[in-house]
Amino acid sequence: MSKAVVLTRLGVLATTVLGRDPGLSTPEEYARVLAPAVNGDTNLLWLTQAAIAAVLPLHDDFERFRRDAALNGAAAAIGRQVARSSRVLAPNRSVQIRIATDTVIVDVHHTARTGLATGIQRVVRQTIQQWNSKAEVELVGWDSSFTGLRHLSEPERQNALYGSVPRIARPREWVLTIPFRTTYILPELAIEQGRTDRISCLAEFSGNQTTVIGFDCVPLTSSETVGEGMSAAFAKNLSALAHFDRVSTISRASATEYAGWKRMLSGAGLAGPEIEPLLLPSVAEEVSADDFERAREQLLSGQSTGSDAPLVVCVGSHEPRKNHLAVLYAAERLWLEGVSFQLVFIGGNGWNGAAFAEQLARLTNDGWPVKAISAVSDSLLWSAYRLAYLTVFPSLNEGFGLPVGESLSAGTPVVTSGFGSMKEIAAAGGAIFVDPRDDDDVYRGMRAGLLDEELHARLVAEAAELPSRGWSDYAAALWQYFVPQSVAPESERPASVT
């Protein structure tokens, strides 16, 4: 690392710590000037190491730096940090830094880069769309090696907000964003090890307010239903969240899971974060007449039973936890009994979905009216909910279960699991509850929903009476919980330091 680069970084650091850049000519001079302010302050020591190295620190690296400062003085520790960061093989040797203060940093790294539109991505996008107009919000991602945060490029920002520009190249040149005296919000699931290790250190030592949306603890409570390695990666995520300030879970059922984890932390001498449930909203999106007709043709055409047969829709990825094999079993049994309906699965392929694909192919080859559609648009999804006579969502475990709320908001009854968040969402009506681990009970629920006209009419009426609560309401409540009142409005904040 060149002397000019390190002096620039020290100048940015001094501007934040001292209120001005004294414009010194050597790192040693900066170290002497910064030492009195930094020495003994854990938050400032974290900031100092991040600024000099141009990486967000790891726990062991920071502890070594902090002990050095305590034993030998901050000036000597800063000097040794400069020397380490100047080595040929040190990461980010030429990266510039900026320190973001008194603002809100929203880490949407995965959402900004993926073409997926799973439940998590839908929650993230709907929420940050509501926050997008707030001047103090900055959307960030990570560099390719997960060493630090960076401001999103404009295409990444558009993809984070709308899912419109997936899988784009990362910018070759980037500036490290170091949050200090900010609120850091993690609205998605972070499972990349480098990312979670640095987030953990940030949460423990930086002094930033750290907050996260807690979706579920499925990789721990139902580890048999997730892909290999996911449980271990999720455990690393939880090790970082142990040092966070606040977790907003997406349901009371999810809060129960996180509360159990938090109680276990006492064995390690940790208090854990504050946990508060905030139920996700369920509001049906409008669909144009043209989009609705196109969806009708795509969803209902080509079925051997005819397009007038009742449509049953099952939304979700084809992984074991979603229990789609039970749906196929119940559907085949009903078809064999002569019940007329058509079944459409909407969702992408998931982990261990080979058995589902095999059964689906067999039923299709046998001429039964079933198909699967992936990579769907919002207009197709919401058209499907409205076209459906019934939806089915017998998941084995969910932090929320968006398809349940979405179906009910569109006025369509749902067959779903009679426990956890799914029962919580549909407790006020519109649902037939089943035991998802009992194939015969899933069959019973689907049969009742299709054949009991009086029951179906009652469920439709119940769904119509459910209160409406939109994403703007959810985002506002989440903001109020996550962002302390001390975050200054734009007019009262100093200019950004670059």
Side-chain angles (χ1 to χ4, degrees), residues 301-324:
S301 64
Q303 305 287 4
S304 61
T305 54
S307 60
D308 58 341
L311 174 65
V312 176
V313 168
C314 184
V315 176
S317 55
H318 312 310
E319 58 187 272
R321 178 167 57 91
K322 303 300 182 179
N323 209 22
H324 289 175

Side-chain angles (χ1 to χ4, degrees), residues 70-104:
L71 292 170
N72 303 301
I78 291 171
R80 276 186 280 275
Q81 182 63 59
V82 169
R84 280 194 296 272
S85 300
S86 300
R87 293 172 186 162
V88 175
L89 297 179
N92 302 346
R93 292 178 64 248
S94 60
V95 168
Q96 297 296 322
I97 67 167
R98 60 182 288 267
I99 299 173
T101 59
D102 297 323
T103 187
V104 178

Side-chain angles (χ1 to χ4, degrees), residues 183-366:
T183 295
Y184 168 86
I185 299 177
L186 179 61
E188 61 182 22
L189 178 62
I191 56 173
E192 306 88 349
Q193 182 167 343
R195 185 183 181 192
T196 53
D197 286 346
R198 296 183 193 277
I199 290 173
S200 178
C201 186
L202 180 153
E204 185 172 4
F205 298 118
S206 73
N208 290 287
Q209 173 87 357
T210 48
T211 61
V212 63
I213 295 179
F215 289 93
D216 57 60
C217 292
V218 166
L220 297 184
T221 59
S222 302
S223 59
E224 74 282 0
T225 68
V226 299
E228 185 177 356
M230 183 59 183
S231 295
F234 186 74
K236 292 290 291 184
N237 170 271
L238 289 181
S239 71
L241 300 194
H243 303 289
F244 269 51
D245 296 298
R246 292 182 175 181
V247 177
S248 176
T249 62
I250 59 176
S251 65
R252 289 189 295 274
S254 181
T256 298
E257 292 183 342
Y258 276 93
W261 158 73
K262 179 179 176 178
R263 284 193 294 272
M264 290 190 292
L265 292 177
S266 62
L270 297 174
E274 177 184 305
I275 299 169
E276 186 70 28
L278 181 59
L279 194 69
L280 291 181
S282 299
V283 180
E285 294 184 12
E286 296 299 322
V287 179
S288 71
D290 288 343
D291 285 341
F292 188 77
E293 285 308 310
R294 280 191 290 269
R296 183 193 296 275
E297 293 176 6
Q298 183 175 356
L299 293 167
L300 301 181
S301 64
Q303 305 287 4
S304 61
T305 54
S307 60
D308 58 341
L311 174 65
V312 176
V313 168
C314 184
V315 176
S317 55
H318 312 310
E319 58 187 272
R321 178 167 57 91
K322 303 300 182 179
N323 209 22
H324 289 175
L325 287 175
V327 177
L328 288 176
Y329 161 81
E332 184 176 15
R333 186 172 168 183
L334 288 166
W335 285 321
L336 289 170
E337 291 177 359
V339 180
S340 177
F341 67 97
Q342 46 197 314
L343 174 61
V344 175
F345 291 88
I346 296 178
N349 294 327
W351 167 78
N352 201 15
F356 168 80
E358 181 181 341
Q359 284 291 90
L360 180 70
R362 180 184 66 80
L363 290 170
T364 302
N365 291 334
D366 288 347

Side-chain angles (χ1 to χ4, degrees), residues 323 326-330 334 392 394 415 434-448:
N323 209 22
V327 177
L328 288 176
Y329 161 81
L334 288 166
V392 187
V415 176
V434 299
D435 178 357
R437 294 178 175 86
D438 183 344
D439 286 354
D440 293 335
D441 205 34
V442 176
Y443 154 80
R444 175 199 60 80
M446 289 178 61
R447 191 177 194 282

